[in-house]
Amino acid sequence: GKSLLYLIPVIALGRPALVVSPLVSLIQDQCAKVNAKGAKIAYNISSSDEDGDEKLVFSPHVYNGDTPVLMFCTPEKVASGAFQSKLQTMHAHRPLSFFILDEAHQIEAGQSFRPDYLGLGILRQKFPAVPFLCFSATCQAYTQRLLVRVLKLKDLQVVQQEEARENMHFSLHYTSKKKPTCSCKQATCSWIHGTLTAHASMLASISHSGGGEVLIATNSRKDCEILCSDLQRLLPRKTVCLYHG
């Protein structure tokens, strides 16, 4: 959903834009989905593969073209001086339309394990006229102030939307050794402390759901694998898969 907010203006302007995204896997998914709709306009330039997208995008064909160009990379890539020089070369041929920070709340990671997030201000220093677009579903006031300071944002415009997903229902179950019965207060709840296998309440919820409508989070990888195997056995007509981020 958020991707459309920057895809549309970039495509409308028909100029290059740099999208800084936190994960290579997310970048791969975004590029695949954008390029599946037609001509290749999204490039994954996070890696330094000489025969990959970076070589394609920083080429005379793109420099002299007139189609929109979306360059996706991580903040660690932006920290490279060689990469910054390539951006300057492109900007001289085709002015960049936007710098886009996707999942902008990740800027906080710059204060701990991803320091290159705090170095993104170099883009403002080297490209003072290129505007920033920051997108996040969980960007609190502190994070917004951090973005302003790190990216040296000026003439700031903040657009906030309250999100109410009426088609989504959360079911939270909590037990412990001291309180082995579930605290959800549902009379029919069958969740018991130490339960690793599917039980009546869970099976009832999943059985009445459509495809892709149920996401179950557990405390550990082992619990997830056991529960997935159990559900696959008990619900053979359902597609049950596990995912570890």
Side-chain angles (χ1 to χ4, degrees):
K2 296 193 304 296
S3 299
L4 288 175
L5 298 177
Y6 62 78
L7 283 171
I8 292 173
V10 170
I11 292 173
L13 289 173
R15 286 161 46 195
L18 179 68
V19 183
V20 181
S21 188
L23 298 172
V24 173
S25 58
L26 177 60
I27 290 173
Q28 292 170 339
D29 183 63
Q30 289 171 315
C31 288
K33 288 181 177 179
V34 172
N35 292 331
K37 302 301 180 182
K40 182 180 178 71
I41 64 170
Y43 298 82
N44 176 7
I45 56 175
S46 288
S47 68
S48 298
D49 184 358
E50 294 183 356
D51 296 321
D53 279 3
E54 185 171 348
K55 182 178 181 180
L56 292 174
V57 78
F58 294 115
S59 67
H61 173 72
V62 173
Y63 290 160
N64 300 321
D66 57 4
T67 58
V69 175
L70 283 153
M71 300 175 287
F72 289 82
C73 75
T74 61
E76 287 75 18
K77 186 71 173 184
V78 176
S80 164
F83 176 68
Q84 294 166 20
S85 296
K86 290 180 179 181
L87 277 182
Q88 289 176 308
T89 301
M90 171 170 279
H91 189 58
H93 286 84
R94 295 181 66 188
L96 297 169
S97 58
F98 300 105
F99 290 127
I100 298 159
L101 188 57
D102 197 12
E103 306 295 346
H105 56 276
Q106 292 291 339
I107 193 78
E108 292 189 44
Q111 299 174 316
S112 53
F113 62 97
R114 299 190 73 176
D116 288 317
Y117 261 109
L118 299 185
L120 291 177
I122 191 68
L123 295 174
R124 169 62 72 216
Q125 179 182 329
K126 295 197 171 187
F127 305 89
V130 179
F132 274 91
L133 300 177
C134 302
F135 298 95
S136 172
T138 56
C139 207
Q140 304 302 320
Y142 169 77
T143 311
Q144 293 178 31
R145 293 194 296 270
L146 185 61
L147 286 167
V148 171
R149 177 167 61 84
V150 171
L151 303 180
K152 302 175 177 64
L153 301 179
K154 299 178 180 179
D155 301 321
L156 186 65
Q157 295 186 29
V158 179
V159 179
Q160 292 180 308
Q161 173 104 23
E162 293 294 332
E163 188 172 32
R165 299 188 178 182
E166 297 179 357
N167 63 336
M168 182 178 291
H169 171 71
F170 285 94
S171 180
L172 180 63
H173 300 271
Y174 175 77
T175 62
S176 66
K177 291 182 179 179
K178 292 184 178 181
K179 190 175 181 180
T181 57
C182 185
S183 59
C184 71
K185 297 181 180 180
Q186 295 179 16
T188 58
C189 181
S190 58
W191 199 289
I192 301 173
H193 180 67
T195 299
L196 292 178
T197 56
H199 47 85
S201 296
M202 183 185 296
L203 289 172
S205 296
I206 299 174
S207 297
H208 293 92
S209 67
E213 292 183 0
V214 178
L215 175 66
I216 302 172
T218 63
N219 288 335
S220 70
R221 182 186 294 259
K222 179 182 178 181
D223 290 358
C224 181
E225 292 171 349
I226 293 173
L227 186 57
C228 179
S229 177
D230 204 35
L231 288 172
Q232 289 172 337
R233 177 178 59 82
L234 294 170
L235 300 171
R237 296 185 179 182
K238 294 283 186 180
T239 300
V240 182
C241 303
L242 59 86
Y243 171 77
H244 300 301

Short mmCIF file of all heavy atoms in Angstrom, two decimals, residues 153-188:
data_model
loop_
_atom_site.label_atom_id
_atom_site.label_comp_id
_atom_site.label_asym_id
_atom_site.label_seq_id
_atom_site.Cartn_x
_atom_site.Cartn_y
_atom_site.Cartn_z
N LEU A 153 15.80 17.65 7.19
CA LEU A 153 14.58 17.95 6.46
C LEU A 153 14.18 19.41 6.65
O LEU A 153 14.24 19.94 7.76
CB LEU A 153 13.44 17.02 6.91
CG LEU A 153 13.70 15.52 6.75
CD1 LEU A 153 12.51 14.72 7.26
CD2 LEU A 153 13.98 15.17 5.28
N LYS A 154 13.72 20.02 5.58
CA LYS A 154 13.27 21.41 5.61
C LYS A 154 11.87 21.50 5.00
O LYS A 154 11.48 20.67 4.19
CB LYS A 154 14.24 22.31 4.85
CG LYS A 154 15.67 22.32 5.41
CD LYS A 154 16.58 23.19 4.57
CE LYS A 154 18.01 23.19 5.13
NZ LYS A 154 18.91 24.03 4.30
N ASP A 155 11.15 22.55 5.37
CA ASP A 155 9.77 22.73 4.85
C ASP A 155 8.98 21.43 5.01
O ASP A 155 8.34 20.94 4.08
CB ASP A 155 9.79 23.18 3.39
CG ASP A 155 10.55 24.48 3.20
OD1 ASP A 155 10.43 25.36 4.07
OD2 ASP A 155 11.27 24.61 2.20
N LEU A 156 9.03 20.89 6.21
CA LEU A 156 8.46 19.58 6.48
C LEU A 156 6.94 19.56 6.37
O LEU A 156 6.26 20.45 6.88
CB LEU A 156 8.88 19.13 7.88
CG LEU A 156 8.52 17.72 8.30
CD1 LEU A 156 9.25 16.69 7.45
CD2 LEU A 156 8.84 17.52 9.77
N GLN A 157 6.42 18.55 5.72
CA GLN A 157 4.98 18.30 5.67
C GLN A 157 4.73 16.88 6.16
O GLN A 157 5.26 15.93 5.58
CB GLN A 157 4.43 18.47 4.25
CG GLN A 157 4.53 19.90 3.73
CD GLN A 157 3.85 20.06 2.38
OE1 GLN A 157 2.91 19.35 2.06
NE2 GLN A 157 4.34 21.00 1.58
N VAL A 158 3.95 16.75 7.21
CA VAL A 158 3.66 15.45 7.79
C VAL A 158 2.21 15.09 7.50
O VAL A 158 1.29 15.85 7.81
CB VAL A 158 3.90 15.44 9.32
CG1 VAL A 158 3.55 14.07 9.89
CG2 VAL A 158 5.34 15.80 9.63
N VAL A 159 2.01 13.94 6.89
CA VAL A 159 0.66 13.44 6.58
C VAL A 159 0.44 12.17 7.39
O VAL A 159 1.19 11.19 7.25
CB VAL A 159 0.49 13.15 5.08
CG1 VAL A 159 -0.91 12.61 4.80
CG2 VAL A 159 0.76 14.40 4.25
N GLN A 160 -0.56 12.19 8.25
CA GLN A 160 -0.86 11.04 9.08
C GLN A 160 -2.27 10.55 8.81
O GLN A 160 -3.18 11.34 8.60
CB GLN A 160 -0.72 11.39 10.56
CG GLN A 160 0.71 11.66 10.99
CD GLN A 160 0.80 12.00 12.46
OE1 GLN A 160 0.10 12.88 12.94
NE2 GLN A 160 1.67 11.30 13.17
N GLN A 161 -2.43 9.25 8.82
CA GLN A 161 -3.73 8.64 8.58
C GLN A 161 -4.01 7.61 9.64
O GLN A 161 -3.19 6.72 9.90
CB GLN A 161 -3.75 7.97 7.19
CG GLN A 161 -5.00 7.17 6.94
CD GLN A 161 -5.97 7.89 6.02
OE1 GLN A 161 -5.58 8.74 5.26
NE2 GLN A 161 -7.22 7.53 6.10
N GLU A 162 -5.14 7.74 10.29
CA GLU A 162 -5.53 6.71 11.24
C GLU A 162 -5.98 5.47 10.47
O GLU A 162 -6.75 5.57 9.52
CB GLU A 162 -6.69 7.21 12.12
CG GLU A 162 -6.29 8.35 13.05
CD GLU A 162 -5.29 7.91 14.11
OE1 GLU A 162 -5.33 6.72 14.46
OE2 GLU A 162 -4.49 8.74 14.55
N GLU A 163 -5.47 4.34 10.88
CA GLU A 163 -5.77 3.11 10.15
C GLU A 163 -6.61 2.18 11.01
O GLU A 163 -6.21 1.79 12.11
CB GLU A 163 -4.47 2.40 9.74
CG GLU A 163 -4.71 1.22 8.82
CD GLU A 163 -3.41 0.66 8.28
OE1 GLU A 163 -2.40 0.73 8.98
OE2 GLU A 163 -3.42 0.15 7.15
N ALA A 164 -7.78 1.89 10.52
CA ALA A 164 -8.68 0.96 11.22
C ALA A 164 -9.02 -0.18 10.27
O ALA A 164 -9.73 0.01 9.28
CB ALA A 164 -9.95 1.68 11.65
N ARG A 165 -8.48 -1.34 10.54
CA ARG A 165 -8.72 -2.51 9.69
C ARG A 165 -9.86 -3.32 10.29
O ARG A 165 -9.65 -4.19 11.14
CB ARG A 165 -7.46 -3.34 9.55
CG ARG A 165 -6.31 -2.58 8.91
CD ARG A 165 -5.14 -3.46 8.62
NE ARG A 165 -4.07 -2.72 7.97
CZ ARG A 165 -2.93 -3.27 7.55
NH1 ARG A 165 -2.74 -4.56 7.73
NH2 ARG A 165 -2.01 -2.54 6.98
N GLU A 166 -11.06 -3.02 9.83
CA GLU A 166 -12.24 -3.66 10.41
C GLU A 166 -12.33 -5.14 10.07
O GLU A 166 -13.08 -5.87 10.70
CB GLU A 166 -13.49 -2.92 9.93
CG GLU A 166 -13.53 -1.46 10.41
CD GLU A 166 -14.77 -0.73 9.92
OE1 GLU A 166 -15.55 -1.36 9.17
OE2 GLU A 166 -14.95 0.44 10.29
N ASN A 167 -11.57 -5.57 9.06
CA ASN A 167 -11.62 -6.99 8.68
C ASN A 167 -10.55 -7.82 9.38
O ASN A 167 -10.36 -8.98 9.08
CB ASN A 167 -11.44 -7.12 7.16
CG ASN A 167 -10.07 -6.62 6.70
OD1 ASN A 167 -9.45 -5.80 7.38
ND2 ASN A 167 -9.62 -7.08 5.55
N MET A 168 -9.85 -7.20 10.34
CA MET A 168 -8.80 -7.92 11.05
C MET A 168 -9.18 -8.13 12.51
O MET A 168 -9.65 -7.21 13.18
CB MET A 168 -7.49 -7.13 10.97
CG MET A 168 -6.32 -7.83 11.65
SD MET A 168 -4.76 -6.92 11.50
CE MET A 168 -4.45 -7.10 9.75
N HIS A 169 -8.95 -9.34 12.99
CA HIS A 169 -9.27 -9.67 14.38
C HIS A 169 -8.04 -10.28 15.03
O HIS A 169 -7.42 -11.18 14.49
CB HIS A 169 -10.43 -10.67 14.44
CG HIS A 169 -10.67 -11.23 15.81
ND1 HIS A 169 -11.20 -10.47 16.82
CD2 HIS A 169 -10.42 -12.46 16.33
CE1 HIS A 169 -11.28 -11.21 17.92
NE2 HIS A 169 -10.81 -12.42 17.65
N PHE A 170 -7.69 -9.75 16.19
CA PHE A 170 -6.57 -10.29 16.95
C PHE A 170 -7.09 -11.18 18.07
O PHE A 170 -8.00 -10.80 18.81
CB PHE A 170 -5.73 -9.16 17.56
CG PHE A 170 -4.86 -8.44 16.57
CD1 PHE A 170 -5.31 -7.29 15.95
CD2 PHE A 170 -3.60 -8.93 16.26
CE1 PHE A 170 -4.51 -6.63 15.04
CE2 PHE A 170 -2.80 -8.27 15.35
CZ PHE A 170 -3.25 -7.12 14.74
N SER A 171 -6.48 -12.34 18.20
CA SER A 171 -6.83 -13.24 19.29
C SER A 171 -5.55 -13.52 20.08
O SER A 171 -4.63 -14.18 19.59
CB SER A 171 -7.41 -14.55 18.74
OG SER A 171 -7.75 -15.43 19.79
N LEU A 172 -5.47 -12.97 21.29
CA LEU A 172 -4.26 -13.09 22.10
C LEU A 172 -4.50 -14.05 23.26
O LEU A 172 -5.45 -13.89 24.03
CB LEU A 172 -3.88 -11.70 22.64
CG LEU A 172 -2.62 -11.64 23.52
CD1 LEU A 172 -1.40 -12.06 22.71
CD2 LEU A 172 -2.45 -10.25 24.09
N HIS A 173 -3.61 -15.03 23.37
CA HIS A 173 -3.72 -16.02 24.43
C HIS A 173 -2.43 -16.05 25.23
O HIS A 173 -1.33 -16.16 24.66
CB HIS A 173 -4.00 -17.41 23.85
CG HIS A 173 -5.28 -17.47 23.06
ND1 HIS A 173 -6.49 -17.76 23.62
CD2 HIS A 173 -5.51 -17.23 21.74
CE1 HIS A 173 -7.43 -17.71 22.69
NE2 HIS A 173 -6.87 -17.40 21.54
N TYR A 174 -2.54 -15.95 26.54
CA TYR A 174 -1.35 -15.92 27.38
C TYR A 174 -1.51 -16.87 28.57
O TYR A 174 -2.53 -16.84 29.27
CB TYR A 174 -1.10 -14.51 27.91
CG TYR A 174 0.05 -14.44 28.89
CD1 TYR A 174 1.37 -14.48 28.45
CD2 TYR A 174 -0.18 -14.39 30.26
CE1 TYR A 174 2.43 -14.45 29.33
CE2 TYR A 174 0.87 -14.36 31.17
CZ TYR A 174 2.18 -14.39 30.70
OH TYR A 174 3.21 -14.36 31.57
N THR A 175 -0.50 -17.71 28.76
CA THR A 175 -0.48 -18.60 29.93
C THR A 175 0.94 -18.60 30.51
O THR A 175 1.89 -18.19 29.84
CB THR A 175 -0.86 -20.05 29.56
OG1 THR A 175 0.10 -20.54 28.62
CG2 THR A 175 -2.25 -20.11 28.97
N SER A 176 1.07 -19.05 31.72
CA SER A 176 2.38 -19.15 32.36
C SER A 176 2.33 -20.29 33.38
O SER A 176 1.28 -20.87 33.63
CB SER A 176 2.73 -17.84 33.07
OG SER A 176 1.84 -17.59 34.14
N LYS A 177 3.49 -20.56 33.96
CA LYS A 177 3.53 -21.62 34.97
C LYS A 177 2.66 -21.26 36.17
O LYS A 177 2.02 -22.13 36.77
CB LYS A 177 4.96 -21.87 35.41
CG LYS A 177 5.84 -22.51 34.34
CD LYS A 177 7.24 -22.77 34.86
CE LYS A 177 8.10 -23.43 33.79
NZ LYS A 177 9.49 -23.68 34.29
N LYS A 178 2.65 -19.98 36.53
CA LYS A 178 1.85 -19.55 37.68
C LYS A 178 0.36 -19.51 37.36
O LYS A 178 -0.47 -19.68 38.24
CB LYS A 178 2.32 -18.17 38.14
CG LYS A 178 3.72 -18.15 38.74
CD LYS A 178 4.07 -16.78 39.25
CE LYS A 178 5.45 -16.77 39.91
NZ LYS A 178 5.81 -15.42 40.43
N LYS A 179 0.05 -19.25 36.07
CA LYS A 179 -1.36 -19.21 35.67
C LYS A 179 -1.52 -20.07 34.42
O LYS A 179 -1.48 -19.58 33.29
CB LYS A 179 -1.79 -17.76 35.39
CG LYS A 179 -3.29 -17.63 35.20
CD LYS A 179 -3.70 -16.18 35.06
CE LYS A 179 -5.22 -16.07 34.90
NZ LYS A 179 -5.67 -14.67 34.76
N PRO A 180 -1.69 -21.36 34.59
CA PRO A 180 -1.70 -22.29 33.45
C PRO A 180 -2.90 -22.15 32.52
O PRO A 180 -2.83 -22.57 31.36
CB PRO A 180 -1.69 -23.67 34.12
CG PRO A 180 -2.25 -23.44 35.48
CD PRO A 180 -1.82 -22.07 35.88
N THR A 181 -4.00 -21.57 33.00
CA THR A 181 -5.15 -21.38 32.11
C THR A 181 -5.07 -20.03 31.43
O THR A 181 -4.52 -19.07 31.97
CB THR A 181 -6.47 -21.48 32.90
OG1 THR A 181 -6.46 -20.51 33.95
CG2 THR A 181 -6.64 -22.87 33.49
N CYS A 182 -5.63 -19.94 30.25
CA CYS A 182 -5.51 -18.73 29.43
C CYS A 182 -6.22 -17.54 30.09
O CYS A 182 -7.26 -17.68 30.72
CB CYS A 182 -6.11 -18.99 28.05
SG CYS A 182 -5.89 -17.58 26.92
N SER A 183 -5.65 -16.35 29.88
CA SER A 183 -6.19 -15.13 30.49
C SER A 183 -7.17 -14.40 29.57
O SER A 183 -7.58 -13.29 29.87
CB SER A 183 -5.04 -14.18 30.84
OG SER A 183 -4.30 -13.85 29.67
N CYS A 184 -7.54 -15.00 28.43
CA CYS A 184 -8.40 -14.30 27.48
C CYS A 184 -9.85 -14.21 27.95
O CYS A 184 -10.65 -13.47 27.38
CB CYS A 184 -8.36 -15.00 26.12
SG CYS A 184 -9.19 -16.60 26.07
N LYS A 185 -10.23 -14.96 28.97
CA LYS A 185 -11.56 -14.92 29.58
C LYS A 185 -12.68 -15.45 28.67
O LYS A 185 -13.85 -15.19 28.89
CB LYS A 185 -11.91 -13.50 30.04
CG LYS A 185 -10.98 -12.99 31.12
CD LYS A 185 -11.37 -11.58 31.57
CE LYS A 185 -10.42 -11.09 32.66
NZ LYS A 185 -10.76 -9.74 33.12
N GLN A 186 -12.29 -16.17 27.61
CA GLN A 186 -13.29 -16.81 26.78
C GLN A 186 -13.62 -18.18 27.39
O GLN A 186 -12.72 -19.00 27.61
CB GLN A 186 -12.78 -16.99 25.35
CG GLN A 186 -12.53 -15.69 24.62
CD GLN A 186 -12.00 -15.93 23.21
OE1 GLN A 186 -12.10 -17.03 22.69
NE2 GLN A 186 -11.45 -14.89 22.61
N ALA A 187 -14.88 -18.39 27.66
CA ALA A 187 -15.29 -19.61 28.36
C ALA A 187 -14.90 -20.88 27.61
O ALA A 187 -14.64 -21.92 28.22
CB ALA A 187 -16.80 -19.58 28.60
N THR A 188 -14.85 -20.79 26.29
CA THR A 188 -14.58 -21.98 25.50
C THR A 188 -13.10 -22.14 25.15
O THR A 188 -12.73 -23.07 24.43
CB THR A 188 -15.40 -21.94 24.19
OG1 THR A 188 -15.05 -20.75 23.46
CG2 THR A 188 -16.89 -21.95 24.48
#
